[in-house]
Amino acid sequence: MAETAQPRPMDAHIDDAASRRDFLLIAASTLTGIGAAITVWPLIDSMEPAKDTLALSSIEVDLAPVQLGQRLTVKWRGSPVFIDHRTPEEIKAAESVDVASLRDPQPDSARVKKAEWLIVRGVCTHLGCVPLGQKSTDPRGDYGGWFCPCHGSQYDTSGRIRLGPAPKNLEVPAYEFVSDGKVKIG
Amino acid sequence: MRRLSYALLGAALVALPVAAQQQQQQKQPAPEAAQQSSPQAEAEPSLPKQSWSFDGPFGTYDRASVQRGFQLYSEVCSQCHSMNLLHYRDLGPNGPGGGIGYSEDEVKAIAATPFINGKQVTDGPNDQGEMFQRPGRPYDKFISPFDNPEQAAATYGAVPPDLSLIIKARAGGADYVYDLLVGYKDPPPGFKMGPGNMNYDEYFPGHQIAMPPPLTDDRVQYQDGTKATTDQEARDITSFLAWASEPTMEVRKRTGVKVLIFLLFMTGVLYAAKRKIWLDVH
Amino acid sequence: MAAPRSQNKIVRWIDHRLPVFTFMEHELNDYPTPRNLSYWWNFGSLAGIVLMIMIVTGIFLAMQYTPHVDYAFDSVERIMRDVNYGWLMRYLHMNGASFFFILVYIHLFRGLFYGSYKTPRELLWMLGVVILLLMMATAFMGYVLPWGQMSFWGATVITSLFSAIPVVGDPIVHWLWGGFAVDNPTLNRFYSLHYLLPFIIVAVVGLHLIALHQHGSGNPLGIDSKGPQDSIPFHPYYTVKDMFGLGVFLIIYAAFVFYMPNALGDPQNYIQANPLQTPAEIVPEWYFLPFYAMLRSVPDILFVPAKLAGVIAMFASIFVLFFLPWLDTSRVRSAHFRPVYKWVFWLLVIDCIVLGWVGAHRPEGFYVVVGRLGTLYYFFHFLILFPLIGWFERPLPLPTSIAAAVTPKGGGRLAGAARPMEKP
């Protein structure tokens, strides 16, 4: 194969020409790099949740049909949310626990906005199973809240972990009451 | 010789898209539904061109017109035509392309109000295992006037096409839809109309369309007070349908400006770099 | 430019175990390339880059697409409306297919004009034809995926062609379909294969480049490099020239993607597939039109029915390309020195364009005549003209060397005969 040809050597005016050439080449490379980065961004961004997913990222729930002592399950962002219309006894039980003794210390007041409405994500903080306790026929464990059948975690009437392997209390999602009868979750 | 090649290539590159656009605009629009094409159809009249706010590389949607068109859809067209690819939230600020100017609250109200066809969303099954009806919510699709195409065919004799993409799905695009809507007239003498309740239209392929003329003067009372002539209504519904076919068009064109400016600049710098590097070869 | 071993310790550590850096150094920095390549030599690298663009956009689109007859069309519209930048990825992919073919067709015709297929580059050429075939299969299957009217009916027409094969035709078609018509099984297998084939294309492109590097690029003069004065290193000369060419290409590509994204497509594909209603005209994408014209032009020939004859003609039109290195009997590569072939080449170009125009129309009346003449000419050109012209043509005298032809000091008459390739 023919050997590589050497470009003809440039003369004394190299330095000027060379530095101009370097600047040009730096500019060219930089622009190309910017171009590549600009191209990559839309591809990465396309993996973000799309508009239809975001449209379901908050839901409004009508609380009127949920009687005192009843529990409602709704689907939010792909997993269940437990809505508990707590009885005065349940509220009292939740408030009278010694917070310091809890694995994940949290007073009940920090977990509710209106005491009679407990809203928590129905996902066990151990490994993600859905705890039992929403139906009146379900076992609720010894603390009156929820019982996770997978590994035996038990939650109280504030959704806090009391027994079993789960490390944290049931997560309280962002929510707000939009009118007396409705709550907006997410 | 080389110059000839360059000239041909350049001509081809320019002619190709121009020809493609011409082809698309003047090509015979595809016959619709199952209706018979009239055997007497001779040379179709060419589509009169219109000018639209969304034409050209800097075109945008006229939101006032699009909103009036939406009002027409909800009060007239939705009697028979579905728009299954649209959601109510598309009309608001979280919609593709930023919507058509309604706020989130207005979108909620629009979703909860049935179209002229009166239908509600079928949801469920509930805890009893039954399906139930409920008003629309922003994340619902536009409620369809019929449950399935067979129901439409049974009711109307033909299936009114879904309108979500109608502008992109017809050769001639917005011009075709507008011309068709204002193109209803009496059949010329000697023209034999087919069986069934067909209507003569100047621009529909075959001239016989199952849809009766949907627009008349003051068919609706525009919320913004614009006078509702047939022509105004045809323009507004076409604007709305154009937006519905491609809500992201404005984003596309705006992005295009930035991309092309960048590319022109980058290519210029690269050309200078190329010339610099090649100096010692020449 | 000498090739110094890198001082960087990390580079040397890797290179000692996996010689990527030596490989790059050899293939880019050291690799000698004829100094007189024109811009017609940019199209190979452009095609390679568009292949990368198609794969990347395709992968991200595949994250959002649903390959089921009830959801496919809607999933594409979801991409257009709800997915961030979905409209951009879709239009890039859709127009990228068209531009991929534009670039490859120009690259192919460059080869025809400059004798790039001639010895010792026969296999390089044949690998290129394989790439073209794979591209056509990939594009055909990809067009089915949006499940529009043209997707469905185009798939029906083209897969039904195989029923023309005697005896086993129908069983083959049912096997292709996975059923008794184009339906969900067909869509799913096309999706799988459409994802797979581009990676096979990448592999064949790799072989194509290996074959290229065996003997290096051809050049507009068609004569071999005689020494170091005829070559320059690929980097930086052709890297920067390729980058500039890429810039020009991207401008044209962007003009389509952002301002005329549907100009090359068919509006009817924005209507969801309806197996009970055939469109008035079933037309493939523009890059298939010449072949479509040939398919529909051929009448009954002797005992061969028109349908089968058309299929044979269509496939033959590509297979004849494999044999070009042997069909062309000329000893001279570049058409610049072939006064007869130089003009006949343009007849082929015109013929292909005419066939494309025929393919876009219904096969009635005038179009049938033109289509048949065009098809006849196509095969006449390759099977008759190529060998004959090679035998009888008297080529112009070739320059002594590339350097002699392109530098001003090169020998009198020859330097004048060969055009200066680059203006300073």
Side-chain angles (χ1 to χ4, degrees), chain A residues 1-8 21 32 41-53, chain C residues 1 30 32 56 60 63-64 78 81-85 88-89 213 225 227-228 231 233 237 243:
Chain A
M1 265 224 298
E3 287 155 34
T4 305
Q6 301 292 335
R8 288 195 295 282
R21 164 178 168 152
T32 311
W41 164 247
L43 295 168
I44 308 286
D45 195 43
S46 77
M47 290 174 65
E48 288 283 348
K51 288 191 166 58
D52 56 345
T53 311
Chain C
M1 263 171 228
D30 295 344
V56 169
F60 280 90
M63 293 183 189
Q64 313 275 3
R78 177 180 168 271
R81 294 159 193 267
D82 284 340
V83 173
N84 295 344
Y85 294 103
L88 179 59
M89 298 193 301
H213 279 222
S225 188
S231 307
Y237 294 96
M243 288 303 296

Side-chain angles (χ1 to χ4, degrees), chain C residues 291-360:
Chain C
F291 304 103
Y292 200 51
M294 288 191 221
L295 175 73
R296 299 187 301 175
S297 293
V298 181
D300 293 328
I301 297 183
L302 301 175
F303 48 81
V304 180
K307 186 168 161 189
L308 179 59
V311 172
I312 293 174
M314 191 176 73
F315 283 115
S317 68
I318 306 180
F319 283 125
V320 76
L321 294 175
F322 278 109
F323 301 105
L324 280 195
W326 295 276
L327 284 168
D328 185 356
T329 52
S330 168
R331 299 287 186 87
V332 172
R333 287 200 191 107
S334 167
H336 281 318
F337 301 100
R338 301 182 58 188
V340 176
Y341 176 71
K342 197 184 211 183
W343 298 105
V344 172
F345 166 84
W346 290 106
L347 287 180
L348 179 69
V349 173
I350 293 168
D351 182 51
C352 290
I353 294 173
V354 166
L355 279 173
W357 171 75
V358 167

Side-chain angles (χ1 to χ4, degrees), chain C residues 131-177:
Chain C
I131 292 173
L132 177 65
L133 276 170
L134 288 170
M135 276 174 62
M136 293 170 78
T138 309
F140 166 69
M141 291 190 295
Y143 192 68
V144 177
L145 301 182
W147 210 242
Q149 276 284 67
M150 278 309 165
S151 305
F152 178 87
W153 290 101
T156 301
V157 166
I158 298 302
T159 48
S160 297
L161 288 179
F162 289 90
S163 67
I165 301 171
V167 183
V168 292
D170 279 329
I172 286 184
V173 173
H174 293 162
W175 173 76
L176 279 176
W177 284 341

Side-chain angles (χ1 to χ4, degrees), chain B residues 1 24 244 252-253 275 282, chain C residues 81 258-259 265 346 422 424:
Chain B
M1 189 64 213
Q24 290 216 343
R252 162 165 66 84
K253 291 182 178 174
R275 289 293 293 257
H282 298 317
Chain C
R81 294 159 193 267
F258 290 101
Y259 295 105
W346 290 106
E422 303 283 345

Side-chain angles (χ1 to χ4, degrees), chain A residues 148-186:
Chain A
C148 187
C150 292
H151 308 100
S153 295
Q154 299 192 24
Y155 300 86
D156 65 14
T157 53
S158 185
R160 295 173 297 203
I161 182 65
R162 302 297 291 272
L163 193 66
K168 296 225 153 276
N169 303 333
L170 292 177
E171 184 192 326
V172 178
Y175 67 87
E176 57 176 4
F177 293 96
V178 288
S179 58
D180 258 337
K182 285 200 176 36
V183 66
K184 176 168 147 175
I185 306 179

Side-chain angles (χ1 to χ4, degrees), chain B residues 166-188:
Chain B
I166 198 80
I167 302 290
K168 288 210 277 195
R170 296 290 183 272
D175 289 347
Y176 168 75
V177 170
Y178 170 84
D179 289 335
L180 185 152
L181 287 172
V182 300
Y184 284 93
K185 47 164 59 104
D186 291 323

Side-chain angles (χ1 to χ4, degrees), chain C residues 151-383:
Chain C
S151 305
F152 178 87
W153 290 101
T156 301
V157 166
I158 298 302
T159 48
S160 297
L161 288 179
F162 289 90
S163 67
I165 301 171
V167 183
V168 292
D170 279 329
I172 286 184
V173 173
H174 293 162
W175 173 76
L176 279 176
W177 284 341
F180 302 107
V182 170
D183 203 344
N184 205 45
T186 326
L187 177 61
N188 269 261
R189 62 192 55 185
F190 278 9
Y191 184 51
S192 168
L193 293 174
H194 181 74
Y195 206 119
L196 168 70
L197 247 41
F199 297 102
I200 311 263
I201 292 178
V202 170
V204 181
V205 166
L207 293 176
H208 191 69
L209 290 175
I210 293 173
L212 173 68
H213 279 222
Q214 273 298 105
H215 296 284
S217 294
N219 68 83
L221 294 176
I223 55 181
D224 288 330
S225 188
K226 304 273 190 317
Q229 75 283 5
D230 287 342
S231 307
I232 46 179
F234 189 84
H235 179 72
Y237 294 96
Y238 288 108
T239 38
V240 75
K241 190 172 179 186
D242 278 349
M243 288 303 296
F244 166 60
L246 175 63
V248 174
F249 167 74
L250 286 177
I251 289 171
I252 302 172
Y253 184 38
F256 272 83
V257 166
F258 290 101
Y259 295 105
M260 310 175 269
N262 294 299
L264 299 170
D266 190 317
Q268 291 201 270
N269 225 32
Y270 278 106
I271 304 171
Q272 193 162 2
N274 183 347
L276 300 177
Q277 187 200 345
T278 312
E281 303 204 26
I282 300 176
V283 187
E285 287 287 89
W286 69 268
Y287 38 82
F288 287 139
L289 289 175
F291 304 103
Y292 200 51
M294 288 191 221
L295 175 73
R296 299 187 301 175
S297 293
V298 181
D300 293 328
I301 297 183
L302 301 175
F303 48 81
V304 180
K307 186 168 161 189
L308 179 59
V311 172
I312 293 174
M314 191 176 73
F315 283 115
S317 68
I318 306 180
F319 283 125
V320 76
L321 294 175
F322 278 109
F323 301 105
L324 280 195
W326 295 276
L327 284 168
D328 185 356
T329 52
S330 168
R331 299 287 186 87
V332 172
R333 287 200 191 107
S334 167
H336 281 318
F337 301 100
R338 301 182 58 188
V340 176
Y341 176 71
K342 197 184 211 183
W343 298 105
V344 172
F345 166 84
W346 290 106
L347 287 180
L348 179 69
V349 173
I350 293 168
D351 182 51
C352 290
I353 294 173
V354 166
L355 279 173
W357 171 75
V358 167
H361 292 89
R362 257 180 270 199
E364 292 166 350
F366 176 68
Y367 294 108
V368 176
V369 178
V370 176
R372 286 184 184 167
L373 287 174
T375 308
L376 261 175
Y377 179 76
Y378 182 92
F379 288 100
F380 175 74
H381 181 99
F382 286 117
L383 296 172

